[in-house]
Amino acid sequence: MLASVHHPPFVSSFLFPWSSSPSHGFPSRPRKQSPATGLVLNKLTRPRPMAFGSNEGESEVGLLLGERLYLGMDFGTSGARFALIDKRGSIHAEGKREYPLFMSEEKMDWAPSWKTTLFSLLEDIPFHLRKLVASISIDGTSATTLIVDSNTGEPLWRPFLYNESCPDALPTVKSIAPPNHTVCSGSSTLCKLVSWWENDDSNKKSALLLHQADWLLWLLHGKLGVSDYNNALKVGYDPELESYPPWLLSQPYSQLLPSVRAPGTSIGHLKEDIRSNFGFPSDCVVCTGTTDSIAAFLAARATQPGKAVTSLGSTLAIKLLSTTRIEDARFGVYSHRLDDKWLVGGASNTGGAVLRQIFTNEQLEKLSKQINPMEASPLDYYPLQTVGERFPVADPNMAPRLHPRPESEVEFLHGILESIARIEAKGYSLLRDLGATQVDEVFTAGGGAKNGKWTKIRERVLGLPVSSATQTEAAYGAALLALRGIHEK
């Protein structure tokens, strides 16, 4: 029996909430509480008071007697972050961690790495604030998929990562799904499920599909088989009908599908052993999550149709608030529900990870200062880490293009930044051509928002006002989900 989905006002609730040891998984290491800036990882940032929508520097923000805090965690492609906010949206603590290296058969073993990071973040929260945490939510990378044992929750197979393509399953998926459906892409969650189903000989009766955020939240609340309609979109869930479609439920692997609830819905209380080990209160609840790019959108407070958020992290993801739902797998375009509107967009494999393959942070800062953002670069690149693109062109065979490389490193960086901006512009143009609301303003989230020269380049290429989002971290959006979970109980 699938869980019903309750949809309280989504945008207003989110954005204006006031109108271990291997045996138990708890890493034991000293908590670091030094200031952290930029992309320095494995340190806890100094609690940074910030009013919702304005930066108050380092002034102290006090808590009223009996006031509670709300914890959001973001599990991105290269690391994880947390943000702890009050009901006004002020940040009381935030921190970040790199994923530790766990290897299995010479490959990265992601599940224990994520699990260790989860409990490291909990440990990084200042102890005196933990007792005030009323609710928790987590966002994860879209279409990052785990097949787990339905009794123990332990992974039965290595995780399928967000950008991993399963072309072997695509013919099967296309044969059952409507033409150009969101799942008709090799990197969709459904393709990953079908690929596992057709290639694994283990006992499938005790298997269950979870998304990255679902699994991490399960570690906290202990109730297997719960997802949210943002994460479940790419496995075939229909957020408009609030159910899995008949063409999917008729398949034998539909037995693996989780129940679906609205993002930010209370699932249950934090497990007793975690509460006692970390000092969280007995009434702390855990709420359904969302994807990382949607959490970043929520953090940016882009509330009107035509407003868009570009997330410039390891990858590039764009989300446009539209009155029209757009779905077209030919171009990697899909829509997430946001109350009575739609977040239309897609995610490219280009982004900051390519820059990090070539430049250090110091080089990026030094070379960027020498770029004239008003001059167009003649270099025509398509920066990718590996072969394969998903948006604005869904082509698993697209090769990276970073040649010719000029002698000047400044010109080279300029060419890469401008080429990524062109990919971004092509994405927004495609959404318009497919019928989405015309974009009129772009907010930026992620590490790329800090590069002022890149912002000027993007503004010129897009022909639109571009600015940094008021809040730039997806963890902040996840914290808003946690806040909503308490207020909608």
Side-chain angles (χ1 to χ4, degrees):
M1 187 80 177
L2 295 175
S4 61
V5 183
H6 174 57
H7 299 286
F10 200 77
V11 176
S12 59
S13 295
F14 282 147
L15 304 179
F16 305 104
W18 53 90
S19 116
S20 122
S21 69
S23 60
H24 53 54
F26 304 139
S28 177
R29 55 171 66 94
R31 189 170 74 249
K32 301 177 181 178
Q33 299 193 42
S34 59
T37 58
L39 295 170
V40 179
L41 296 170
N42 285 331
K43 293 183 179 179
L44 173 68
T45 58
R46 177 172 46 185
R48 182 166 59 99
M50 184 177 294
F52 198 54
S54 64
N55 190 336
E56 297 185 349
E58 296 297 332
S59 62
E60 289 296 325
V61 174
L63 282 168
L64 300 175
L65 185 64
E67 191 168 7
R68 305 298 295 273
L69 298 175
Y70 309 91
L71 173 63
M73 288 181 277
D74 161 48
F75 279 72
T77 55
S78 57
R81 295 171 168 81
F82 81 85
L84 193 60
I85 68 171
D86 61 28
K87 65 181 180 181
R88 296 176 299 278
S90 299
I91 298 176
H92 290 262
E94 55 185 347
K96 38 194 164 182
R97 287 266 179 175
E98 273 186 332
Y99 294 134
L101 195 62
F102 281 79
M103 303 299 292
S104 176
E105 297 180 358
E106 300 183 359
K107 291 183 179 180
M108 180 67 174
D109 197 354
W110 285 104
S113 180
W114 296 330
K115 179 178 180 179
T116 299
T117 303
L118 172 65
F119 291 111
S120 294
L121 289 179
L122 294 181
E123 196 177 58
D124 285 343
I125 297 167
F127 187 80
H128 69 285
L129 296 179
R130 296 181 201 173
K131 62 185 178 182
L132 303 177
V133 176
S135 56
I136 301 170
S137 188
I138 295 175
D139 72 76
T141 48
S142 178
T144 294
T145 308
L146 293 94
I147 307 296
V148 304
D149 187 295
S150 59
N151 297 309
T152 67
E154 290 301 312
L156 298 173
W157 193 262
R158 60 171 183 79
F160 293 91
L161 298 184
Y162 66 98
N163 60 348
E164 189 171 340
S165 185
C166 297
D168 59 300
L170 201 50
T172 300
V173 170
K174 285 185 173 180
S175 72
I176 61 170
N180 302 321
H181 192 280
T182 305
V183 299
C184 297
S185 168
S187 61
S188 73
T189 310
L190 185 56
C191 276
K192 290 161 183 170
L193 170 59
V194 171
S195 179
W196 174 83
W197 182 268
E198 293 180 344
N199 290 288
D200 185 67
D201 296 326
S202 64
N203 182 6
K204 295 181 171 66
K205 290 184 178 179
S206 62
L208 174 69
L209 180 145
L210 291 177
H211 307 89
Q212 180 189 30
D214 306 337
W215 186 72
L216 291 165
L217 287 164
W218 164 73
L219 291 171
L220 300 181
H221 60 67
K223 298 180 180 180
L224 268 174
V226 181
S227 187
D228 65 88
Y229 63 55
N230 292 149
N231 271 299
L233 182 77
K234 291 185 180 179
V235 78
Y237 185 83
D238 190 331
E240 200 165 12
L241 299 177
E242 300 180 5
S243 66
Y244 290 108
W247 59 261
L248 180 55
L249 291 176
S250 63
Q251 305 305 316
Y253 38 80
S254 66
Q255 67 190 42
L256 276 72
L257 298 175
S259 64
V260 178
R261 305 183 189 182
T265 301
S266 174
I267 303 171
H269 287 94
L270 187 64
K271 289 164 62 177
E272 194 281 329
D273 59 334
I274 298 175
R275 295 200 307 265
S276 59
N277 271 283
F278 289 92
F280 289 101
S282 59
D283 63 349
C284 180
V285 301
V286 181
C287 306
T288 49
T290 186
T291 67
D292 54 349
S293 59
I294 290 182
F297 191 96
L298 296 173
R301 300 192 308 148
T303 60
Q304 299 300 316
K307 306 303 178 187
V309 172
T310 295
S311 297
L312 287 175
S314 298
T315 57
L316 180 150
I318 71 172
K319 288 282 187 291
L320 168 67
L321 197 58
S322 172
T323 57
T324 308
R325 182 184 185 182
I326 306 295
E327 306 279 346
D328 198 323
R330 291 175 302 169
F331 304 105
V333 173
Y334 55 94
S335 297
H336 282 284
R337 183 172 173 174
L338 195 61
D339 190 26
D340 61 344
K341 302 179 183 68
W342 295 93
L343 273 182
V344 184
S348 169
N349 287 332
T350 193
V354 180
L355 292 169
R356 292 213 184 171
Q357 282 185 324
I358 303 169
F359 304 103
T360 64
N361 287 340
E362 291 74 20
Q363 288 174 320
L364 285 171
E365 185 176 355
K366 180 179 178 181
L367 296 172
S368 293
K369 290 178 180 178
Q370 302 174 59
I371 292 174
N372 180 354
M374 297 300 103
E375 288 186 4
S377 170
L379 298 169
D380 182 22
Y381 297 148
Y382 208 105
L384 298 170
Q385 276 190 294
T386 57
V387 171
E389 175 61 309
R390 48 191 177 143
F391 174 84
V393 179
D395 180 2
N397 299 313
M398 178 177 279
R401 188 171 71 247
L402 285 169
H403 293 285
R405 178 167 180 165
E407 291 185 9
S408 167
E409 293 289 89
V410 176
E411 291 179 19
F412 187 42
L413 176 59
H414 188 175
I416 296 174
L417 296 181
E418 184 135 346
S419 295
I420 295 175
R422 292 184 196 125
I423 295 169
E424 179 187 7
K426 186 174 182 180
Y428 284 118
S429 295
L430 177 60
L431 299 187
R432 178 199 62 210
D433 294 343
L434 292 173
T437 301
Q438 170 72 43
V439 60
D440 57 34
E441 185 177 10
V442 176
F443 300 97
T444 311
K450 300 176 180 132
N451 190 320
K453 293 294 182 74
W454 199 2
T455 298
K456 291 294 184 184
I457 290 171
R458 293 170 52 229
E459 203 163 37
R460 170 173 51 78
V461 172
L462 290 167
L464 295 168
V466 177
S467 60
S468 293
T470 306
Q471 297 291 343
T472 61
E473 297 296 351
Y476 187 91
L480 291 176
L481 278 179
L483 172 57
R484 174 179 181 264
I486 282 292
H487 284 261
E488 297 296 338
K489 280 178 64 180

